[in-house]
Amino acid sequence: MLYPQRLTQLTKEHTDAVAAILCGVLLFLGWFALHLGFLGWALLLLPAAYVIGGYESAREGLTTLIKEKELDVDLLMIVAALGAAGLGLWRKEYHLIIDGAILILIFAISGALEGYAMQRTERSIRSLMSLTQDTARVLRLGQEEVVPISQLKVGDEIVVKPGELIPTDAVIISGYSTINQAAITGESLPIEKTIGEEVFAGTLNGYGALHLKVHQPPESSLIQRVIRLVEQAQDSAPPSQQFIERFERRYARFIVLAGLLLAILPPFIWGWSWEVTIYRALTFLVVASPCALMASIMPTLLSGIANGARQGILFKNGAQLEMMGKVRAIAFDKTGTLTTGQVQVFKVIPNSGYSSEDVLKSAASVESSSEHPIGNAIVQAASALDWVKAVEVRAIPGQGIVGLYEHKQTIVGNATFVKQHVTVLPDDLQDAACLLEEEGKTVVWVAQESVVLGVIAIADLVRAEATTAIAQLRKLGVQQIVMLTGDNQRTAHNVAQAVGVDRVYAELLPEDKLHIIHRLQQEYHTVAMVGDGINDAPALAQASVGIAMGVAGSDIALETADIVLMADRLEKIAVAMHLGQRAQATVKQNIIIALSFIVLLLIGNFLGSINLPIGVIGHEGSTVMVTLSGLRLLRK
Ligand code: ADP
Ligand code: MG
């Protein structure tokens, strides 16, 4: 599914390459003609080489000059080439015209090469999209009918056969299968899905036949949104790039000024001949241009972003990729992040005078409006009981939830929160809660009006990979790993011990989490926060890098976080970090290479030990070198 504008881009790369080749052929013929003494032919062929090879750069350079009143390197190149040609005609030193043509040729070749390099990162991201189907099999009046995806409507029923791609985001209404979600999450291990579960466009159906109901328009499917995000990431220049671009503009003006001075002053100061002076001034224009510097950052970051996208790691922009390489401290949310968040009711202890059913029913009635994992667990546990949804429900993030059930105010939440509403927390229940918390269970209190009905202990499993994931992060140089939770101290410490974090902060409200991130930033500068993106939004926003995980489905996380891990796997954090470190190191290397070349060529030119073609080769060579070096980030 290529968009028209991509197609024009493709043909553009193509014309660039053809222009470069034509320019090369004309240059060769011109050189040959000059050698054989056919001056007339040479003066016909060489200008043609100039026009064909330099047309695109001249057009771009002039557009920038006219529209933005800015000089860019394209224009400098053309001026240098024309200068060489002019000098050649004037002094009847026709080899200078060849020098100028070589400049144009090499500039055209490297332009085509860079275009190709950019296209590779683009293609790499497009490969996400190649996984999407064009058609779907719809059931209409009992008949299967093949229709284009764009004609699918919400409510349509579609059929997916074994081994086929899922055409659009939909919910399974019958059937059972294993689904390979690698296209979205980067995880190639298939997962089992059945009735009621959501499947995503671009994922691969396993052995079962599935009937699906389309529940959202195809254009807002997860993979489409992911592709849009990655495209936006490509378009937004990170601060380092913006800095270099601002620098380039000022620098280009400086080069022109310096070039002019170099073309005028040396005969008076050092007694250079005019010919040598102008030739060196032209070479100066070429070698001093910051092309390589300009190409040091973006190709690298784009390659990194593309690589991440293929592994189910979405960087919202290049800046976040760079930032991820600098992280020195990481804060993890507990519930749903270090733990699986697939929580279950472990035990219900009623207060005297009440039954377990009373406790569960009241709790479920308010929790049925909650998005919190605890709420889900309670509703699930009460599914066989008879209760109705509470009204006027209000969730207080990090504390609990209240609502009206059977005309009574019903409160579910942690001890501190419930204590504000009731007269006493019975001693025997407090003791029981304490024991459960030491085992790592989360205990919530249920009260009605001012009376405690009982407590519910919730069990949550620590993720199996948590310990290894944290060890990997330490190996990558993270100095401080902390856990933040709204849960109580005892439960928190139990989990912390199991996974091996450095510090634990418990009984936090969402805004407390933000303050802790702030404090960590003062100590460690670059701090990442990993959360589920729903109740951790303030902390995610405060962190230098906010990472949301396991969100194949949740919109909020996709919007608020800087980095989104599509798979529900903690190891991906280390992968993202490693990628960030590689990107950072490559950018640094590139800048050093670019600057070294500029300095060396400038010195060589000043001493007269390089000619124009060598200057151009060094200059363009270093530009292509840093671009290709950036492309290494495409590799895993
Ligand atoms: P975490 O920081 O571990 O993700 P939260 O900040 O979401 O936890 O919640 C902190 C505590 O507040 C929970 O451990 C629980 O005791 C209480 N709580 C929050 N929301 C609810 C809810 N919907 N029902 C019951 N208790 C809740
Ligand atoms: Mg949470």
Side-chain angles (χ1 to χ4, degrees), residues 167-169 201 216-226 228:
T168 186
D169 288 9
Q216 61 176 341
E219 65 274 13
S220 58
S221 71
L222 183 63
I223 194 153
Q224 294 297 343
R225 275 180 292 153
V226 165
R228 273 197 290 273

Side-chain angles (χ1 to χ4, degrees), residues 24-173:
V25 172
L26 288 166
L27 168 60
F28 176 75
L29 292 176
W31 169 80
F32 206 59
L34 195 65
H35 235 67
L36 296 180
F38 298 127
L39 188 60
W41 276 103
L43 290 184
L44 208 69
L45 290 163
L46 291 173
Y50 274 65
V51 172
I52 292 182
Y55 172 76
E56 190 55 35
S57 310
R59 200 180 54 84
E60 272 171 29
L62 284 176
T63 318
T64 323
L65 183 68
I66 293 164
K67 282 214 182 119
E68 294 163 38
K69 307 250 180 307
E70 296 288 355
L71 276 170
D72 70 0
V73 288
D74 289 307
L75 209 58
L76 291 187
M77 289 291 151
I78 300 295
V79 168
L82 290 178
L87 192 64
L89 282 175
W90 174 41
R91 307 298 275 183
K92 304 236 179 323
E93 302 228 16
Y94 298 113
H95 66 90
L96 287 180
I97 307 184
I98 301 225
D99 282 6
I102 292 179
L103 192 164
I104 288 202
L105 171 66
I106 294 173
F107 200 60
I109 292 177
S110 67
L113 270 179
E114 277 160 42
Y116 163 77
M118 287 311 213
Q119 212 193 308
R120 261 196 66 187
T121 55
E122 179 114 333
R123 248 209 317 265
S124 174
I125 288 168
R126 289 283 122 191
S127 70
L128 278 175
M129 261 178 86
S130 67
L131 278 169
T132 51
Q133 289 271 82
D134 296 335
T135 57
R137 214 168 288 151
V138 186
L139 269 187
R140 293 223 167 110
L141 309 167
Q143 293 279 350
E144 274 183 27
E145 204 179 304
V146 176
V147 303
I149 303 278
S150 54
Q151 285 178 21
L152 284 180
K153 282 185 278 302
V154 173
D156 273 346
E157 195 178 325
I158 53 182
V159 185
V160 180
K161 306 230 157 114
E164 285 185 341
L165 286 170
I166 307 287
T168 186
D169 288 9
V171 175
I172 303 179
I173 46 178

Side-chain angles (χ1 to χ4, degrees), residues 30 33 61 73 103 145 203 238 277 280 285 288 292 383 421 454 546 591 593 606:
V73 288
L103 192 164
E145 204 179 304
T203 60
T277 305
R280 288 193 191 165
L285 275 193
S383 60
H421 295 86
I591 290 180
I593 292 175
F606 188 76

Side-chain angles (χ1 to χ4, degrees), residues 423-572:
T423 32
V424 288
L425 297 181
D427 283 341
D428 54 334
L429 283 182
Q430 286 206 53
D431 292 344
C434 225
L435 284 176
L436 285 161
E437 283 166 355
E438 269 158 20
E439 287 171 30
K441 307 288 184 292
T442 298
V443 177
V444 297
W445 292 73
V446 185
Q448 216 155 39
E449 297 298 341
S450 57
V451 190
V452 170
L453 300 186
V455 296
I456 302 177
I458 313 269
D460 192 359
L461 284 178
V462 171
R463 283 180 197 271
E465 78 273 15
T467 325
T468 39
I470 284 177
Q472 279 170 352
L473 289 173
R474 283 194 209 283
K475 235 189 258 159
L476 287 173
V478 180
Q479 291 157 2
Q480 185 70 228
I481 297 176
V482 308
M483 184 177 99
L484 309 180
T485 179
D487 213 341
N488 83 88
Q489 295 283 355
R490 284 176 293 273
T491 318
H493 276 100
N494 182 291
V495 174
Q497 225 161 21
V499 296
V501 297
D502 296 313
R503 285 190 232 162
V504 189
Y505 299 90
E507 293 169 30
L508 300 175
L509 298 176
E511 60 269 29
D512 298 332
K513 292 187 180 179
L514 185 152
H515 293 309
I516 289 170
I517 299 280
H518 189 67
R519 254 193 286 153
L520 283 172
Q521 278 170 327
Q522 282 162 351
E523 207 175 331
Y524 296 97
H525 206 69
T526 313
V527 178
M529 160 90 198
V530 192
D532 51 21
I534 298 168
N535 51 9
D536 298 319
L540 285 175
Q542 169 67 37
S544 326
V545 196
I547 306 174
M549 59 181 270
V551 287
S554 146
D555 289 356
I556 309 166
L558 211 56
E559 308 302 314
T560 51
D562 300 313
I563 299 179
V564 180
L565 307 179
M566 305 304 289
D568 217 2
R569 310 281 309 177
L570 284 170
E571 298 100 312
K572 295 282 181 183

